[in-house]
Amino acid sequence: IFARCSDRLVQLWLRQDGIQLPNPLPTQAQEQAWRLRLPLLLAIWALLAALGLQIWCLVKGWYLVSLSCPKDCENLHRWLLGYCIALSMVPFCFAIAGPLVVWWAADGSLVRSSLPDSCHESVPRLFDFVDEVATCSLGTCLLMALVLLLLWLLKRRTQTL
């Protein structure tokens, strides 16, 4: 079942790329299409993993926004609110929200460094979330680079079919 599903996925990818395949496929074309399975499945996995990291940050971020915050840590709470709003906008306006999320994630360390040490003691989850956002954002960037590399590889390989 897995092989059949992945073969259909490769055929769908090829048709979307504008390559019309005869039905049934010649043996040599079947072998070449079969070799496209792994890079395509890896690209899908990496894309889903990147999406999962961002959804995790979004859900946890909105949860942390809902918690109370001491007055002297208000700047970090405002940073988190802005980050969550920007991340929530990504599916609707990637061209603007994508770079805004990257900037906002990097800005979190600056905001946190300007806070008193009492913030780390009073709201440790919010304080540590800045590092989690940076780690997840770096992971997402690496996974998206992998997706682009695999899609480029697939595009090159489809030109030889």
Side-chain angles (χ1 to χ4, degrees):
I1 293 175
F2 175 74
R4 190 176 4 205
C5 289
S6 58
D7 284 343
R8 285 189 181 170
L9 191 61
V10 168
Q11 289 175 4
L12 178 68
W13 165 266
L14 292 173
R15 285 191 185 102
Q16 191 175 23
D17 203 29
I19 297 174
Q20 297 300 324
L21 300 172
N23 196 5
L25 280 175
T27 306
Q28 187 177 12
Q30 262 182 340
E31 290 173 9
Q32 286 180 344
W34 189 80
R35 285 189 215 124
L36 298 175
R37 274 198 268 185
L38 182 61
L40 184 59
L41 292 174
L42 283 174
I44 291 170
W45 175 85
L47 183 65
L48 290 175
L51 184 63
L53 285 173
Q54 292 308 301
I55 289 172
W56 169 257
C57 283
L58 183 64
V59 170
K60 187 170 182 181
W62 279 116
Y63 168 72
L64 292 173
V65 164
S66 72
L67 300 177
S68 63
C69 183
K71 195 76 168 159
D72 57 343
C73 305
E74 191 62 34
N75 284 344
L76 190 58
H77 195 261
R78 271 192 236 114
W79 166 83
L80 179 60
L81 179 63
Y83 171 77
C84 289
I85 290 170
L87 191 55
S88 297
M89 288 177 9
V90 168
F92 308 107
C93 189
F94 184 76
I96 295 170
L100 184 62
V101 166
V102 171
W103 175 80
W104 220 283
D107 191 46
S109 295
L110 294 173
V111 170
R112 187 179 65 180
S113 68
S114 68
L115 297 174
D117 291 336
S118 61
C119 285
H120 185 60
E121 296 164 6
S122 58
V123 282
R125 288 189 284 183
L126 178 57
F127 204 82
D128 294 338
F129 186 65
V130 174
D131 293 329
E132 194 172 338
V133 164
T135 302
C136 287
S137 296
L138 178 62
T140 298
C141 288
L142 292 173
L143 287 166
M144 291 307 294
L146 178 63
V147 168
L148 291 174
L149 178 69
L150 289 168
L151 291 178
W152 175 78
L153 177 69
L154 283 165
K155 188 79 167 167
R156 285 197 48 183
R157 284 190 177 177
T158 57
Q159 292 171 349
T160 63
L161 285 177

